[in-house]
Amino acid sequence: MSDWEVVIGLETHTQLNTKSKIFSGSSIAFGAEPNTQANVVDIAMPGVLPVLNKEAVRCAIRFGLAVDAEIASRSVFARKNYFYPDLPKGYQISQYELPVVGKGALTIQVGEQEKTIRITRAHLEEDAGKSMHGASPGQSGIDLNRAGTPLLEIVTEPDMRSAAEAVAYARKLHDLVQWINICDGNMQEGSFRCDVNVSVRRKGDEKLGTRREIKNLNSFRFMQQAIEYETRWQIETLEDGGKIEQATVLFNPDTGETRAMRSKEEANDYRYFPDPDLLPLAISAEEIESIRSEMPELPAAMKSRFEEAYSLSAYDASALTASRNVADYFTATLQAFGGEAKLAANWVMGGVSAKLNEEDKNIADSPVSPELLAGLIKRIADNTISSKMAKEVFEAMWAGEGTADQIIDKKGLKQVTDSGAIETIVDEVLAANPAMVEEFKAGKEKAFNALVGQAMKASKGKANPAQVNEILKRKLGS
Amino acid sequence: MINKSLKQLAAMLASKDISSVELTQEYLNRIDRYNPEINAYIALDQEKTLAQATAADQMLAQGKASALTGIPIAQKDIFCAKGWQTTCGSKMLENFIAPYDAGVIERFNAVGSVNLGKTNMDEFAMGSSNETSYYGKVQNPWDRSRVPGGSSGGSAAAVAARLCAAATGTDTGGSIRQPASLCGLSGLKPTYGLASRYGMIAFASSLDQAGPMAKSCEDMALMMNVMTGFDERDSTSLNREKEDYARDLGKPLAGLRVGLPKEYFAEGLEAGVAKVIEAAIDEYRQLGAEIVDISLPNTMLSIPVYYVLAPAEASSNLSRYDGVRFGHRAAEYDDLMEMYCKSRAEGFGAEVKRRILIGTYVLSAGYYDAYYLKAQQIRRLIAQDFERAFEQCDIILGPTAPSTAFKAGEKADDPVAMYLQDIYTIAVNLAGLPGMSIPAGFAPADDGKELPVGLQIIGNYFDEARMLNAGHAYQQVTDWHTRMPEGVTS
Amino acid sequence: MSLSTTDVKRIAHLARIAVSEAEAEQTLQKLSGILGLIEQMQAVDTTGIAPMSHSQDVTQRLRTDVVTESNQRELLQSIAPAVENGLYLVPKVIE
């Protein structure tokens, strides 16, 4: 299998953060009673017409700027014609030849590696409704509340070479659209859905293999599983002498398998043509500039700022800018702490995120606020407590037992840094362990560590380890 | 009274010589009497109609009246009118009660005009004889064995037989002007974008435009003042200053440069019609107009271009009629696919299906460039023809249709022959220009019957006021527009 | 560009219109006639000519993002062929 290479491209449908639909004044709020948010335009009554939502266009421009893409001064809406009960007009209004956002790029981090994924285009379009099964037997029920919800479809080049890369890209994009506030990123509600094009080829082959498209993946875990299964399936099929038919497939989370959609079997002929009900969308340079001026600092820029200003590693910097919330939390912590960034970074990426994962919490809801965390880090920096003690204090803070200082007092966790006191402890330890002293003198380095351990134990862990080391060395005359 | 102009009727209403209810009842009585044969109306609703008349009388009493308050208007059944059956001439929409008003209907309601009923039309406005209507043929009041033209044949017959004070129509390739010509009345297709398309059931979105059909240019000017205007619900609606289309009426025509496109007088134009048009042109000379010979070289191409673009847009516009949310659904089907295919096969008539198929074909994979794209390129050439022409002249005169009204059934089985009816009108829609037809006399048909002939006046973009005055001046020195068919006068 | 009844059936299927064998035959003749008419276009050299979608050279107007619509389900579904619990009913949709 190792001589095979998988080639992956993504098409992501992001639901835009607007109040009303892309072509009508109906609400897009999630979870309303069926068809209570579907007006005459949304259900395509005779004679009704679309009018474009300004905010949807602004969202598209924000995205274009965020991935450093060209934004079309003139783009065109086209009709994609096909019959489906959840598509009221019998066509979807989308963009075809002239999309609003052109070529761009998004850099992802896979382990220690950075990789740039090329974005082919992003275009505005309307969402379809939903088909509910198991209404009456043999029937489907159609809910058109979602019909006309504004979407930005973001298409990449086939630049990914593993499920891990695909998921890394999807996560990065998911973070970005929330970072620039064009999408709520709610995958359960379908606000962020990925179609994944997967093909395989022999390593070194120039030509791409026939691809199959896995539709509507709305969880990163499923995406990983689906791509891995699909890749295995394609390789096995080819190795067994079979060939891959281009197809649209669905992933079944229960079986972990993909299967071709029956409804899409017949080759589609979408008969795209410019929608005569809509005029060309013009976007002026002034408009783009005014939106650019409102853009927040982007993760990439913030990342390099962290690397330079705080001399953090690329890895740390990208972890800290993975999402707006993490970045905000780190910045706030560092501000309150005012000390070495690396120390704050370690705690945000270490202790805090570990606990969050454990409890499946978002950093925004962390029981330990940046201010509280900073209070803890201060005490580590000024040697009041050892990092070992710090963990204990952190746990207590997480449990809501108060500020670092309150907990340190309550638990009497202060380090002993008085060298006189430490010297007495060391002397006692040396006197009590002549054998170890002999072993050390005989050249057994381990013995030294054992003595340190004894000293720490004798101080109930409160002695400053660095000082213990130093004093022991001196006393043993080494 | 049935021959009175809108201005005269408004005066009578203002002076309380007659109430809107009385005037409306008069027309309803005429409809009862003549419509069963002529079949100009698909839907009538006396209760709604008289309720509007009563409301109009209150507006009049309260001094809130404007030019068309209380005037009974016939509305083409292509316009959605809240609570009215709105069928677009199709079985597909037989049970469609519109839940909203079209922009045009709203405007008439706002000024207190009375909706007399919904007029018959070719199914989805696809036809030039009104023979494709699911609700039966319409008779031409001038010769009941002949067609009124189409697609606004019901509105044309209603005005010609004086079954309304005035009517609305829509024009995608000549659907206002050709029936106006065949029924001897005045009809105007405005510049694309002046009248709202919201709630006007779409045939070919980039060509469809609503306009007035009336007894005179003066009446049409008053209708235009109500019908046109910006509608934010229609992205193609033009946001312009409101204008008074009657403002130029009465201006002398001296010095008006009138262009005659040689292509409009070439082979295919019936001799009798040509004679009438020549005579009309002489009248314009008399009125002081300066006659200029011009050329619109791509005229012949307008038909092929139209029969690519209009069906292409229509095939997509009519996809919403799938039997899911409204409209006809087949009684029996085994699965979704069969429900679609049977519902649409049953709901649409032959001509509509033909155009859907042509449109689907020209847009289908591999043919787009050769057909749709090519047609859009030639569309520009056709528009450029007019651009050049209007550097030489102010308005263009010519025939509206190549012949007078033909016999029902004569062309029904030959689409191509039918399509040639629109040879002089289609280019105007492709260019988005305003065009109108006014009665210019009569020509003998093969059976010797004298039938109305329409003179077409084409103007530059937004030149409706000038065109209406050009027509009005002609109607001051001729009486063709006052002629009435026999058998509907009493 | 000559059509066959197979083409007619393919197009009719794309357009979701049922056609019987007999209809396909008739339709074929009529469509061929119309296509013959359309073919006249091919004689014209259109190289370098920009396609014209709209007669006026205007651009799209944008709507401010406000919710202007309220629930009209009852009214709109009063003319629907088949509804149940507010859903439009259709024969089972197979994915």
Side-chain angles (χ1 to χ4, degrees):
Chain A
M1 278 216 181
S2 59
D3 62 339
W4 289 96
E5 174 181 59
V6 60
V7 176
I8 303 166
L10 264 72
E11 293 168 17
T12 309
H13 292 89
T14 54
Q15 180 181 315
L16 299 176
N17 276 342
T18 61
K19 298 181 193 65
S20 64
K21 294 190 176 179
I22 185 168
F23 296 120
S24 88
S26 300
S27 168
I28 64 166
F30 182 82
E33 280 295 298
N35 293 307
T36 54
Q37 289 175 179
N39 81 334
V40 293
V41 173
D42 310 318
I43 72 169
M45 285 251 161
V48 298
L49 297 166
V51 183
L52 183 57
N53 183 335
K54 186 179 181 50
E55 190 53 32
V57 175
R58 294 177 56 85
C59 288
I61 296 172
R62 290 171 72 85
F63 177 76
L65 292 171
V67 296
D68 192 23
E70 55 212 58
I71 289 152
S73 57
R74 194 181 177 86
S75 65
V76 168
F77 287 90
R79 293 181 180 181
K80 180 183 183 180
N81 294 282
Y82 65 95
F83 286 86
Y84 209 69
D86 65 12
L87 189 70
K89 295 186 292 297
Y91 59 85
Q92 176 194 30
I93 304 178
S94 181
Q95 295 189 297
Y96 186 53
E97 278 173 330
L98 298 168
V100 59
V101 175
K103 291 186 169 52
L106 190 60
T107 301
I108 60 169
Q109 186 91 25
V110 193
E112 293 293 335
Q113 290 262 318
E114 275 200 349
K115 178 168 182 177
T116 296
I117 306 301
R118 290 169 301 160
I119 287 166
T120 314
R121 60 182 284 166
H123 64 258
L124 285 164
E125 64 183 24
E126 57 180 341
D127 206 345
K130 284 185 187 153
S131 305
M132 315 281 191
H133 303 301
S136 299
Q139 308 267 314
S140 293
I142 308 299
D143 175 8
L144 297 174
N145 283 350
R146 200 181 64 183
T149 298
L151 300 177
L152 186 68
E153 180 173 344
I154 301 156
V155 183
T156 73
E157 294 293 315
D159 282 353
M160 288 147 278
R161 293 292 175 273
S162 68
E165 283 184 14
V167 171
Y169 163 80
R171 284 188 180 279
K172 182 79 180 179
L173 184 65
H174 185 247
D175 294 333
L176 180 64
V177 293
Q178 293 173 84
W179 186 291
I180 61 175
N181 189 32
I182 64 169
C183 173
D184 67 15
N186 188 324
M187 297 178 86
Q188 288 65 40
E189 294 177 5
S191 301
F192 187 91
R193 320 191 290 265
C194 298
D195 300 344
V196 185
N197 288 297
V198 179
S199 68
V200 298
R201 62 180 171 188
R202 296 266 174 195
K203 286 222 175 77
D205 278 7
E206 278 304 305
K207 200 166 151 299
L208 290 173
T210 309
R211 61 183 166 82
R212 304 215 308 167
E213 180 181 25
I214 312 168
K215 273 238 169 276
N216 279 334
L217 293 165
N218 63 352
S219 116
F220 297 122
R221 204 173 90 253
F222 293 165
M223 182 184 296
Q224 179 94 26
Q225 294 172 1
I227 296 172
E228 280 163 358
Y229 175 88
E230 180 64 23
T231 309
R232 269 201 311 282
W233 182 87
Q234 287 190 22
I235 292 169
E236 281 161 15
T237 307
L238 291 168
E239 286 191 333
D240 300 348
K243 74 188 275 286
I244 308 293
E245 301 289 341
Q246 184 154 357
T248 307
V249 303
L250 289 175
F251 175 69
N252 178 342
D254 307 331
T255 63
E257 296 178 352
T258 57
R259 66 162 175 82
M261 288 174 75
R262 271 193 279 170
S263 62
K264 301 268 176 167
E265 268 168 13
E266 66 175 83
N268 275 314
D269 182 347
Y270 290 126
R271 290 158 283 138
Y272 280 99
F273 75 104
D275 191 329
D277 289 331
L278 291 161
L279 300 164
L281 170 62
I283 299 173
S284 69
E286 296 68 39
E287 174 76 0
I288 295 174
E289 283 323 304
S290 82
I291 291 173
R292 193 194 301 277
S293 67
E294 299 160 6
M295 293 282 282
E297 182 183 23
L298 294 172
M302 195 179 276
K303 174 171 171 289
S304 33
R305 182 163 60 86
F306 284 3
E307 289 177 49
E308 283 145 32
Y310 307 143
S311 53
L312 292 171
S313 72
Y315 180 84
D316 291 354
S318 84
L320 289 169
T321 52
S323 87
R324 190 79 172 267
N325 289 339
V326 172
D328 292 347
Y329 188 95
F330 169 70
T331 314
T333 307
L334 191 54
Q335 208 162 27
F337 168 42
E340 185 205 350
K342 178 65 182 163
L343 193 52
N346 290 346
W347 272 92
V348 173
M349 294 183 298
V352 175
S353 64
K355 278 305 256 185
L356 292 170
N357 292 339
E358 215 175 283
E359 302 183 10
D360 188 26
K361 276 204 175 83
N362 184 304
I363 192 158
D365 324 319
S366 166
V368 173
S369 69
E371 294 67 26
L372 280 174
L373 184 65
L376 173 63
I377 302 172
K378 280 205 189 92
R379 295 293 158 261
I380 302 166
D382 67 13
N383 277 326
T384 307
I385 52 172
S386 67
S387 47
K388 187 159 164 299
M389 296 169 174
K391 291 199 172 54
E392 192 182 342
V393 177
F394 179 73
E395 288 291 338
M397 282 165 65
W398 193 275
E401 296 174 22
T403 67
D405 290 341
Q406 293 166 344
I407 294 163
I408 291 167
D409 288 347
K410 190 155 31 123
K411 301 192 180 246
L413 282 172
K414 277 207 170 48
Q415 269 192 133
V416 177
T417 48
D418 159 5
S419 43
I422 296 178
E423 198 149 353
T424 345
I425 294 172
V426 171
D427 289 337
E428 288 167 14
V429 168
L430 291 175
N433 299 282
M436 288 187 192
V437 177
E438 282 315 310
E439 285 180 20
F440 175 76
K441 294 221 159 111
K444 285 220 173 91
E445 270 302 317
K446 279 218 204 76
F448 183 82
N449 300 339
L451 287 165
V452 174
Q454 291 296 321
M456 290 304 293
K457 196 161 157 225
S459 73
K460 304 193 183 61
K462 291 183 188 175
N464 177 315
Q467 286 173 290
V468 171
N469 261 287
E470 179 212 320
I471 291 166
L472 248 180
K473 280 209 181 75
R474 184 156 41 81
K475 299 247 168 205
L476 291 168
S478 58
Chain B
M1 183 180 69
I2 56 172
N3 238 350
K4 293 219 178 321
S5 72
L6 296 183
K7 212 175 189 175
Q8 290 168 322
L9 291 174
M12 291 170 69
L13 288 165
S15 62
K16 309 274 182 298
D17 294 350
I18 189 170
S19 70
S20 174
V21 170
E22 290 162 344
L23 179 61
T24 303
Q25 192 57 60
E26 163 83 16
Y27 280 109
L28 288 173
N29 296 343
R30 289 182 61 78
I31 291 168
D32 279 343
R33 180 153 172 208
Y34 298 109
N35 194 59
E37 284 189 342
I38 294 177
N39 196 32
Y41 288 87
I42 290 175
L44 292 159
D45 184 333
Q46 297 225 1
E47 213 175 293
K48 276 202 187 55
T49 299
L50 288 170
Q52 274 191 308
T54 313
D57 282 326
Q58 282 160 11
M59 284 179 79
L60 284 152
Q62 297 158 349
K64 292 187 194 145
S66 54
L68 298 189
T69 309
I71 304 285
I73 308 283
Q75 300 289 357
K76 187 177 182 179
D77 201 30
I78 199 168
F79 294 104
C80 289
K82 190 165 186 171
W84 284 82
Q85 179 193 18
T86 301
T87 72
C88 216
S90 182
K91 176 183 181 181
M92 181 60 81
L93 292 176
E94 191 169 12
N95 303 317
F96 184 73
I97 307 300
Y100 52 96
D101 283 320
V104 166
I105 298 289
E106 277 179 355
R107 293 181 158 274
F108 280 107
N109 290 345
V111 298
S113 301
V114 176
N115 182 349
L116 261 183
K118 310 293 294 294
T119 58
N120 207 337
M121 57 183 285
D122 280 297
E123 184 178 8
F124 286 101
M126 298 176 189
S128 307
S129 67
N130 216 112
E131 291 168 293
T132 71
S133 171
Y134 174 70
Y135 303 91
K137 303 190 178 67
V138 173
Q139 295 178 342
N140 186 321
W142 293 92
D143 176 348
R144 306 299 186 87
S145 68
R146 294 175 184 271
V147 303
S151 68
S152 311
S155 290
V159 173
R162 307 301 192 253
L163 303 183
C164 60
T168 56
T170 60
D171 190 314
T172 305
S175 284
I176 285 174
R177 290 159 289 161
Q178 184 256 13
S181 176
L182 271 51
C183 291
L185 56 122
S186 305
L188 168 63
K189 180 208 92 78
T191 302
Y192 182 86
L194 287 186
S196 169
R197 291 190 302 114
Y198 183 84
M200 180 177 110
I201 299 177
F203 160 15
S205 312
S206 74
L207 305 170
D208 297 342
Q209 190 60 197
M213 300 177 80
K215 298 191 292 288
S216 71
C217 290
E218 183 192 67
D219 286 7
M220 291 205 296
L222 300 179
M223 290 281 283
M224 282 289 287
N225 285 345
V226 172
M227 284 182 78
T228 60
F230 177 62
D231 185 342
E232 62 178 11
R233 297 164 300 183
D234 172 2
S235 295
T236 63
S237 170
L238 298 168
N239 195 351
R240 309 182 83 244
E241 285 275 314
K242 193 93 184 88
E243 58 181 299
D244 173 12
Y245 291 97
R247 69 181 183 272
D248 287 350
L249 300 183
K251 280 192 184 167
L253 299 192
L256 182 76
R257 296 174 305 161
V258 170
L260 306 181
K262 64 169 188 285
E263 293 78 8
Y264 284 37
F265 297 87
E267 190 209 346
L269 177 62
E270 270 182 14
V273 174
K275 234 174 107 224
V276 170
I277 301 302
E278 303 294 352
I281 291 160
D282 282 333
E283 283 291 354
Y284 275 89
R285 260 198 209 85
Q286 304 297 319
L287 289 164
E290 171 195 335
I291 307 299
V292 195
D293 289 322
I294 60 165
S295 173
L296 300 168
N298 293 296
T299 299
M300 280 310 292
L301 285 167
S302 60
I303 290 190
V305 166
Y306 178 85
Y307 281 97
V308 169
L309 297 183
E313 292 184 14
S315 68
S316 178
N317 283 336
L318 272 60
S319 293
R320 68 188 55 198
Y321 307 108
D322 58 4
V324 175
R325 301 162 315 285
F326 55 82
H328 177 74
R329 180 188 287 204
E332 286 167 14
Y333 42 83
D334 294 336
D335 57 19
L336 181 63
M337 180 62 73
E338 201 188 354
M339 187 200 88
Y340 278 145
C341 295
K342 278 178 86 176
S343 301
R344 289 167 59 80
E346 294 169 7
F348 293 135
E351 179 62 20
V352 170
K353 287 188 226 176
R354 270 199 290 276
R355 298 207 194 184
I356 291 175
L357 294 180
I358 286 288
T360 304
Y361 177 70
V362 297
L363 287 174
S364 64
Y367 299 110
Y368 181 83
D369 289 10
Y371 289 126
Y372 190 83
L373 200 64
K374 185 99 183 172
Q376 280 205 321
Q377 290 174 308
I378 301 176
R379 180 181 183 179
R380 187 171 298 282
L381 293 179
I382 290 166
Q384 287 167 349
D385 280 359
F386 284 103
E387 248 175 74
R388 265 182 235 96
F390 283 117
E391 287 163 7
Q392 299 164 261
C393 62
D394 305 316
I395 60 166
I396 294 168
L397 290 189
T400 303
S403 68
T404 53
F406 46 92
K407 295 264 187 196
E410 192 180 314
K411 295 181 162 64
D413 211 42
D414 183 354
V416 174
M418 187 71 85
Y419 296 173
L420 289 169
Q421 271 294 305
D422 301 331
I423 176 71
Y424 306 128
T425 48
I426 282 179
V428 168
N429 300 80
L430 292 171
L433 290 164
M436 69 185 211
S437 180
I438 58 174
F442 294 80
D446 34 34
D447 60 3
K449 183 95 182 179
E450 289 288 323
L451 296 167
V453 172
L455 171 72
Q456 183 171 214
I457 301 178
I458 301 168
N460 209 340
Y461 298 107
F462 312 116
D463 242 353
E464 284 82 0
R466 184 201 299 236
M467 294 159 65
L468 286 163
N469 179 46
H472 179 70
Y474 177 82
Q475 290 179 336
Q476 296 309 294
V477 295
T478 59
D479 69 348
W480 305 116
H481 62 291
T482 63
R483 306 289 184 90
M484 262 178 79
E486 291 156 14
V488 293
T489 44
S490 52
Chain C
M1 181 62 55
S2 68
L3 279 182
S4 70
T5 49
T6 329
D7 297 322
V8 172
K9 287 185 204 146
R10 179 180 57 84
I11 300 162
H13 178 72
L14 258 184
R16 298 296 186 267
I17 293 174
V19 286
S20 66
E21 282 299 331
E23 286 171 324
E25 265 305 328
Q26 297 170 354
T27 313
L28 176 60
Q29 291 161 19
K30 295 256 171 34
L31 295 196
S32 303
I34 298 167
L35 286 175
L37 187 74
I38 292 171
E39 282 306 312
Q40 296 171 21
M41 292 194 312
Q42 304 310 332
V44 188
D45 175 11
T46 52
T47 41
I49 297 163
M52 176 172 166
S53 311
H54 296 280
S55 52
Q56 303 285 324
D57 184 20
V58 278
T59 55
Q60 180 61 37
R61 191 167 12 92
L62 300 177
R63 215 187 77 240
T64 38
D65 180 29
V66 286
V67 174
T68 55
E69 300 295 313
S70 52
N71 175 18
Q72 289 198 11
R73 184 172 82 183
E74 208 169 317
L75 173 65
L76 299 183
Q77 292 194 337
S78 64
I79 48 172
V83 287
E84 186 180 279
N85 311 326
L87 296 167
Y88 294 96
L89 281 191
V90 297
K92 192 151 187 50
V93 177
I94 303 147
E95 290 187 331

